[in-house]
Amino acid sequence: MKRCIICLQELELFQGLENQQFSNLCRCTMKKKLGKGDYLFRQDEMVSTVYLIKSGKLKMVQTTKDGHETILDVCGPGEILGELSLYQDQKELSSAVAMEDAYICCFNRQQFKESIQQDSSFAWRVISYLGKKRYENLQKQGEETRQTVKEKLLNLFYRFANEYGQKEAWGLLIDLKVTQQELADMIGSSRVMVVQALKELKEASIIDRKKGYYVLKDDPCVSVHIFE
């Protein structure tokens, strides 16, 4: 599967910055490479860095005191992590774990804030991005409270297809390998219930599986197709 490494100037967030501003921002930016399973940061750590994903995908994992893990989200190229550090020093509410090889740009909080102060349009883009991210999370939480496990699973596939879909001859491939347990953690269910939901969707010719990748069929009346 082709992995794209984005240039920061391709991102809407950085478009419009003066060349000198952008050069100053990039000059002090640290680059980090993660392997599958590596942590970018851990829950309860004090983080004073803003992270921007250049390539790869990371899952945001929250662990309760009794050790139960919930996957809050999956983040990919162009997304910002550690944004809480823009406001104040406080502990991270979740851990960021690489699901595959990933390249990260790391911005010092002070440096990032200076760029915001120098350019009001950049500040507005940052505010808009964070506001949109919060709205989408609240909307997702509201929808999930009224859905069955099968509906939650299906909507999760739709969201992943929208974010990571790649057009193929046999449909829209979701460029994301995820286990049954990870699917369960993402929708707040058990693996047993997810397995049953997957079975029902497969029997209804809505899903199938191939090499761990999910695919949306071209037929708009059919939701998801996974190949074996």
Side-chain angles (χ1 to χ4, degrees):
M1 199 65 58
K2 184 180 179 181
R3 306 295 179 188
C4 177
I5 300 180
I6 61 172
C7 171
L8 294 183
Q9 284 185 308
E10 295 174 12
L11 299 177
E12 182 179 350
L13 188 64
F14 294 102
Q15 290 176 7
L17 282 183
E18 297 291 338
N19 288 337
Q20 188 60 49
Q21 285 179 276
F22 187 81
S23 296
N24 292 340
L25 193 64
C26 286
R27 190 160 43 244
C28 300
T29 299
M30 291 180 59
K31 306 296 191 300
K32 184 184 290 285
K33 179 180 179 181
L34 301 177
K36 182 178 179 179
D38 289 346
Y39 282 76
L40 179 60
F41 53 78
R42 295 178 182 271
Q43 184 174 328
D44 292 331
E45 279 186 358
M46 296 295 293
V47 176
S48 60
T49 303
V50 180
Y51 303 99
L52 191 141
I53 304 174
K54 283 179 66 69
S55 72
K57 302 177 186 69
L58 291 88
K59 57 184 178 182
M60 307 305 295
V61 182
Q62 191 171 72
T63 307
T64 62
K65 292 182 179 179
D66 61 5
H68 176 73
E69 292 188 348
T70 299
I71 298 178
L72 303 178
D73 202 0
V74 173
C75 301
E79 295 197 66
I80 296 173
L81 302 178
E83 63 270 20
L84 291 178
S85 67
L86 284 174
Y87 309 110
Q88 59 186 344
D89 288 326
Q90 62 183 57
K91 296 179 180 179
E92 277 295 334
L93 302 177
S94 61
S95 301
V97 188
M99 301 180 72
E100 58 190 25
D101 288 349
Y103 290 88
I104 312 293
C105 280
C106 309
F107 299 90
N108 176 275
R109 180 178 65 179
Q110 184 59 37
Q111 176 193 11
F112 205 80
K113 288 177 68 175
E114 287 174 0
S115 295
I116 290 175
Q117 292 167 349
Q118 292 170 9
D119 189 331
S120 59
S121 65
F122 181 48
W124 179 249
R125 287 195 295 275
V126 172
I127 292 171
S128 297
Y129 171 86
L130 297 179
K132 180 182 177 183
K133 189 172 181 180
R134 176 170 173 75
Y135 173 78
E136 289 174 347
N137 287 336
L138 291 174
Q139 185 180 47
K140 181 178 68 175
Q141 291 170 9
E143 291 174 349
E144 288 177 351
T145 59
R146 303 185 297 270
Q147 295 174 340
T148 65
V149 171
K150 188 159 59 175
E151 289 171 335
K152 290 180 182 179
L153 194 58
L154 211 48
N155 282 331
L156 183 65
F157 288 145
Y158 274 131
R159 183 163 65 88
F160 284 157
N162 182 57
E163 295 175 357
Y164 308 118
Q166 295 185 3
K167 185 66 177 177
E168 301 289 348
W170 22 259
L172 190 64
L173 181 144
I174 302 172
D175 182 17
L176 178 68
K177 284 191 174 181
V178 59
T179 67
Q180 293 174 341
Q181 184 59 58
E182 286 175 328
L183 289 174
D185 291 341
M186 289 179 197
I187 64 173
S189 182
S190 67
R191 182 176 178 274
V192 172
M193 295 184 71
V194 165
V195 169
Q196 179 60 35
L198 289 172
K199 180 181 177 182
E200 292 175 8
L201 292 171
K202 185 172 182 179
E203 289 174 349
S205 297
I206 296 175
I207 68 168
D208 221 326
R209 186 168 186 144
K210 181 180 181 181
K211 298 180 181 178
Y213 290 104
Y214 298 88
V215 179
L216 282 175
K217 296 181 70 175
D218 290 328
D219 184 352
C221 296
V222 181
S223 301
V224 180
H225 189 65
I226 310 173
F227 288 85
E228 197 70 57

